[in-house]
Amino acid sequence: MRHPLAGSLLLASSLAGIAPAQDPAAPAGGDATEALRDEVAELRRMNEALLGKVDRLEKMVGDDEWLTETRAAEIRGIVQDTLADSASRAALQSSGSTAGWDKASGFFLTSADGNFLLRIRGQLQIRFALSDRDRGDGAPESFSGLTGSESWGWEIRRARLWFTGHIIDPSWQYELQPAFDRAGGAGGGTLENAWVRKEMQAFGGKLGVRVGQYKAPFNKEELVASSRQLTVERSLVSELFTPKWVQGLEFVQTWDAFKLTGYYGERLRALGTLPNDGFYPALGYLDSRNQPTYAVPQVDYALAGRAEWKLFGNWKELDDLSAVPGGSDGLLLGFAAMAQNYRGIPGEAAGPDGTTYWQSSSMWGITADILADLGTVNFLTAGYFRQVFFANDLPTRTGTSNHMNQWGFTAQAGIWVSDSVEPYVRWEVGNTDTNQFRTVVNSDMYSPAVDGERANVVTIGANWYPEGSRNRNIKVTGDVGFSLAPVVDFANGGANWLPALEPAYGGNFASGQIVTRLQLQLLF
């Protein structure tokens, strides 16, 4: 069947053949007839060309109609699949759950009503450290391992995941924090935080009751997360006096300007409380997550409590030891105390190397600190005192004693010199009072016994934030520490400070040690 356009063209052609238009200027007679024939022939050629185009047009129209129906069917299929997928998602998310990421919470998954929340965050610290120790009197030569003057290497200092949030409603909170082996080998990991807390309104403020495993409420430097420290690592003094992780029951009462925290539960870590009569560092009871060095003491009681007074500022920014340019100023005063009594502890025990260590029977301690964030300047100072008791009088250089008076002091400050660079300095001193029990003396029998109870360290360094102060998820920190006293009781491998090289009998430890550290931190 011809397209209507074809009929119209044929009709026009016929009419043109019957009644050709007369050109007044056309030649007369035969010439005119010949011109008319030429014009009719031309019209026929045009007509045939038009008919060919019409045929092609009809075919194209027919093809297009077929393609249009095919496309329509395909589109209908896509729409149906999309609607089906949407319906399935609606069934799975009938509660309106949402997931995503934000700067404050990291990755999160939450219900529409906000009563169920899971946050996932992580921390990675990659560190290079170099320790250069002087040799003591008569110390043997060595060039490898822990007996070498220079020790260096890389480590995964921290690799952690945080799972936090709430269930039932925002008042039921939880945290699970696994941490992995810093050696990066097959040693696996450990569990740091694992607790459940219920929050409620009480006593004109907010009351939180927590049970599980967490940091004991004692020194501020330890309570601030490792990701928010000013320096590469916490001070040696803080590491020696902190009770670290505990397991038990905690109460936290918070008002606008005051916070009171109390703990009762398992034993508190107590480093540097087990002296010996030789060259060796004083050992200590480890925290409840691990076995102690060579004993597993139970306690009749273990208590800790902390009080904080916020003169101005906000609590969140005062949980950071680095001021943020543009943030609010803050000033915090803190005071804390701890006490514990061990059950059935013998007077002495043999350490891993066969050395006799005197075991403490009880102890108490206090600490006080001041934290200030003032524009681009931050400052923290803290003092510590601990008294350690023994069940019996122990032999000393001059007689006997049944206790040790231990103390420490730290002060650190940082200042932002640009939006991405923050230099800092720290000074720390301390004394474990263990020299009285080190009855090893020099060969002339009149010189003082070996000195291993003191700490005196100065550290200088800087933080660099490649993305600026407002994005601190990437941080590069480098510092250099100088010891001005032999590092023995205060030695700490996690801080890369190794014990002073052991001298020969009759000698003493050398004072000098320089520790250089460079660390990259990633938070996600």
Side-chain angles (χ1 to χ4, degrees):
M1 175 185 257
R2 291 283 185 187
H3 194 279
L5 180 58
S8 300
L9 291 171
L10 290 172
L11 177 60
S13 178
S14 299
L15 290 174
I18 295 171
Q22 298 295 321
D23 183 357
D31 293 340
T33 302
E34 187 65 27
L36 182 60
R37 287 195 188 101
D38 293 338
E39 185 174 349
V40 170
E42 180 64 20
L43 287 171
R44 284 177 179 173
R45 283 193 299 271
M46 293 174 60
N47 187 55
E48 289 172 359
L50 288 171
L51 287 175
K53 291 181 179 179
V54 168
D55 289 338
R56 290 194 298 273
L57 179 62
E58 285 181 336
K59 186 176 184 305
M60 291 173 63
V61 170
D63 291 345
D64 191 64
E65 289 174 351
W66 176 81
L67 289 172
T68 300
E69 286 205 22
T70 302
R71 289 172 182 158
E74 291 175 350
I75 292 172
R76 281 194 295 272
I78 292 172
V79 170
Q80 289 171 356
D81 291 344
T82 303
L83 291 174
D85 182 69
S86 175
S88 67
R89 291 175 182 271
L92 291 172
Q93 299 181 358
S94 58
S95 63
S97 298
T98 59
W101 183 92
D102 62 44
K103 185 176 180 180
S105 303
F107 296 98
F108 67 89
L109 177 64
T110 181
S111 61
D113 58 10
N115 288 332
F116 293 85
L117 172 66
L118 169 64
R119 299 188 188 96
I120 304 174
R121 302 212 68 174
Q123 176 190 18
L124 181 63
Q125 288 182 343
I126 304 170
R127 182 184 300 176
F128 173 82
L130 167 63
S131 171
D132 186 0
R133 293 174 288 180
D134 292 342
R135 294 194 173 279
D137 299 334
E141 287 287 338
S142 178
F143 300 96
S144 63
L146 294 179
T147 60
S149 296
E150 293 184 350
S151 300
W152 67 88
W154 293 86
E155 64 176 342
I156 305 300
R157 178 62 179 93
R158 291 179 176 90
R160 292 171 169 166
L161 291 174
W162 293 292
F163 300 92
T164 63
H166 57 256
I167 60 172
I168 303 175
D169 61 60
S171 69
W172 286 98
Q173 302 169 359
Y174 66 89
E175 179 175 341
L176 185 67
Q177 181 180 302
F180 301 95
D181 184 11
R182 72 180 57 172
T190 186
L191 185 63
E192 294 187 342
N193 290 343
W195 52 260
V196 176
R197 177 171 57 207
K198 172 64 175 178
E199 288 194 345
M200 63 200 82
Q201 297 297 318
F203 309 111
K206 183 169 65 177
L207 173 64
V209 181
R210 179 163 67 167
V211 64
Q213 181 169 290
Y214 41 82
K215 295 285 185 69
F218 191 64
N219 56 322
K220 183 65 174 178
E221 189 175 343
E222 181 65 41
L223 292 173
V224 172
S226 60
S227 60
R228 299 303 182 192
Q229 294 291 314
L230 176 66
T231 63
V232 171
E233 191 59 71
R234 296 180 179 96
S235 66
L236 299 180
V237 169
S238 172
E239 286 292 329
L240 186 127
F241 284 99
T242 180
K244 212 69 173 181
W245 278 279
V246 292
Q247 294 175 351
L249 182 65
E250 179 187 74
F251 298 88
V252 182
Q253 178 67 43
T254 305
W255 295 278
D256 180 62
F258 295 95
K259 181 186 293 185
L260 297 176
T261 307
Y263 162 80
Y264 171 80
E266 293 296 325
R267 68 183 183 273
L268 309 171
R269 191 182 80 165
L271 299 185
T273 59
L274 309 179
N276 61 78
D277 61 356
F279 292 108
Y280 300 98
L283 298 182
Y285 302 111
L286 300 185
D287 60 76
S288 56
R289 301 174 307 145
N290 306 296
Q291 294 296 317
T293 305
Y294 56 85
V296 186
Q298 300 296 312
V299 291
D300 291 320
Y301 61 83
L303 304 169
R306 180 173 173 86
E308 294 182 335
W309 177 24
K310 176 171 65 69
L311 282 74
F312 54 89
N314 65 71
W315 291 110
K316 183 177 181 180
E317 291 193 12
L318 290 170
D319 274 337
D320 194 324
L321 298 187
S322 176
V324 180
S328 62
D329 292 348
L331 181 61
L332 182 72
L333 306 182
F335 176 82
M338 56 78 64
Q340 62 184 345
N341 183 73
Y342 295 113
R343 183 188 312 158
I345 294 296
E348 62 184 55
D353 54 8
T355 304
T356 297
Y357 287 87
W358 310 114
Q359 297 198 108
S360 53
S361 60
S362 63
M363 65 190 67
W364 64 271
I366 57 173
T367 182
D369 47 71
I370 302 173
L371 173 62
D373 285 346
L374 304 174
T376 58
V377 177
N378 62 82
F379 176 78
L380 172 68
T381 183
Y384 302 84
F385 179 81
R386 182 169 64 192
Q387 194 166 50
V388 181
F389 296 94
F390 303 94
N392 304 305
D393 289 342
L394 303 177
T396 66
R397 302 180 202 170
T398 58
T400 60
S401 175
N402 67 350
H403 70 278
M404 296 185 295
N405 295 323
Q406 303 180 327
W407 61 269
F409 174 80
T410 65
Q412 65 182 44
I415 181 171
W416 291 83
V417 296
S418 72
D419 185 57
S420 59
V421 178
E422 181 188 28
Y424 60 79
V425 62
R426 178 172 67 198
W427 178 51
E428 51 185 306
V429 292
N431 193 301
T432 58
D433 197 22
T434 58
N435 280 356
Q436 61 178 316
F437 301 109
R438 290 189 171 97
T439 55
V440 174
V441 296
N442 290 330
S443 57
D444 61 10
M445 302 303 293
Y446 294 101
S447 300
V450 64
D451 178 16
E453 66 184 15
R454 294 183 297 140
N456 190 352
V457 176
V458 175
T459 303
I460 57 174
N463 293 308
W464 173 49
Y465 298 88
E467 300 300 319
S469 63
R470 288 298 177 178
N471 187 347
R472 297 193 291 168
N473 291 325
I474 292 285
K475 179 173 73 168
V476 178
T477 307
D479 61 26
V480 181
F482 305 88
S483 69
L484 306 177
V487 179
V488 182
D489 287 352
F490 285 89
N492 189 289
N496 308 109
W497 284 90
L498 302 178
L501 293 172
E502 181 182 330
Y505 185 82
N508 205 339
F509 295 105
S511 298
Q513 183 173 174
I514 300 176
V515 173
T516 304
R517 303 175 293 194
L518 181 65
Q519 178 172 281
L520 170 66
Q521 174 174 272
L522 168 67
L523 302 178
F524 59 90

